Amino acid sequence: MEELMPRLLPLESCDTEEYNSNEPPRNPQEYLRQVQREASLCPDVVVAQIDPKKLKKKQSVNVSITGCLAAPQGFSPSLKWQQQQVSKFSEVRQSVNKHRQHWKSQFLDDNVVMPKTEDEDGWKRFCLGENVCLDIQLKEEDKVNPGLDYVKTGFPPFLSIVSKLNQSTISAVLEYLINWFEERDFVPQLGRWLYALLACLEKPLLPEAHSLIRQLARRCSAVRGLFVDNLKYSKDDDRLSALNLMICIVARYFEQNDLADNE
């Protein structure tokens, strides 16, 4: 070891009786000798104790470069409308950042129990509600007067809630909701939470977030394409504006220009 790693700071010999390693060093020589002694006590090989449960399920990030499906004729928003939505979204983000610290310090009501970051099913139920997640068919009277049972209808993305989410949790919840959306239809609760999470997503985007928002835009364009072939959709459907808005925010605000709608 001495031949492979010559000493850069050779130490002069010192009397071991005068040097006490348990006391603070009194001069540079004693300090270097203490460092040398501590290094000699370190093992040559160290093995990290890793808990596999703490590792995320997906370690690799696959970024797709495919674009969105073109909007059916008559369903594409105008460029002016897209510019207006980007401007409003920018104002919302500024307002969220301005008031984040205030709302972060506020206590939540007793009935608001936020799931842990890794609890995917818990977050789906928290955001979308049990009625949507469990596909519970509501009675006609419940549709007219649904009440304020947030456990069933989902908690709205209040500032007092989203302000308490760090960027890691925001990305995780965004992934949970987008994965849910990949297999199901668009619902109002989903739109509200997606908009709120995008408003809290910090720039520049991490690779994981970059992949997620592109996946969201592509899914929105695929669902929008069903408006032509499926009779249950129409141009007056509120979901059409919501889908166009998601694509607009991803493409125009987060600068994924290849996904943008053209007039």
Side-chain angles (χ1 to χ4, degrees), residues 229-242:
D229 303 325
N230 199 319
L231 296 177
K232 71 177 182 178
Y233 297 110
S234 68
K235 290 184 179 180
D236 299 328
D237 196 314
D238 293 336
R239 286 172 291 185
L240 176 60
S241 296

Side-chain angles (χ1 to χ4, degrees), residues 114-244:
M114 297 173 62
K116 296 182 179 180
T117 301
E118 62 274 11
D119 186 1
E120 181 172 353
D121 290 336
W123 273 109
K124 290 176 181 177
R125 293 193 182 194
F126 184 85
C127 299
L128 306 176
E130 291 184 350
N131 292 341
V132 172
C133 290
L134 302 179
D135 198 18
I136 298 175
Q137 300 297 326
L138 298 179
K139 300 178 181 179
E140 290 299 327
E141 56 268 23
D142 293 334
K143 293 181 180 179
V144 176
N145 186 20
L148 289 177
D149 189 349
Y150 289 140
V151 174
K152 294 182 178 180
T153 63
F155 286 89
F158 296 125
L159 273 175
S160 56
I161 294 178
V162 297
S163 295
K164 289 180 168 56
L165 305 180
N166 57 33
Q167 289 299 300
S168 176
T169 304
I170 290 172
S171 295
V173 178
L174 196 60
E175 180 180 4
Y176 301 153
L177 296 180
I178 293 175
N179 289 340
W180 182 91
F181 183 35
E182 285 286 351
E183 301 176 355
R184 294 172 179 82
D185 204 352
F186 190 89
V187 294
Q189 297 95 316
L190 176 66
R192 288 192 287 266
W193 268 97
L194 290 175
Y195 190 92
L197 292 172
L198 291 175
C200 297
L201 197 61
E202 294 180 356
K203 296 174 69 176
L205 297 178
L206 295 175
E208 294 86 351
H210 177 272
S211 177
L212 284 173
I213 64 173
R214 290 183 63 87
Q215 179 184 350
L216 171 61
R218 290 193 300 271
R219 175 56 181 167
C220 288
S221 70
V223 174
R224 184 179 59 183
L226 300 175
F227 275 64
V228 175
D229 303 325
N230 199 319
L231 296 177
K232 71 177 182 178
Y233 297 110
S234 68
K235 290 184 179 180
D236 299 328
D237 196 314
D238 293 336
R239 286 172 291 185
L240 176 60
S241 296
L243 294 170
N244 284 338

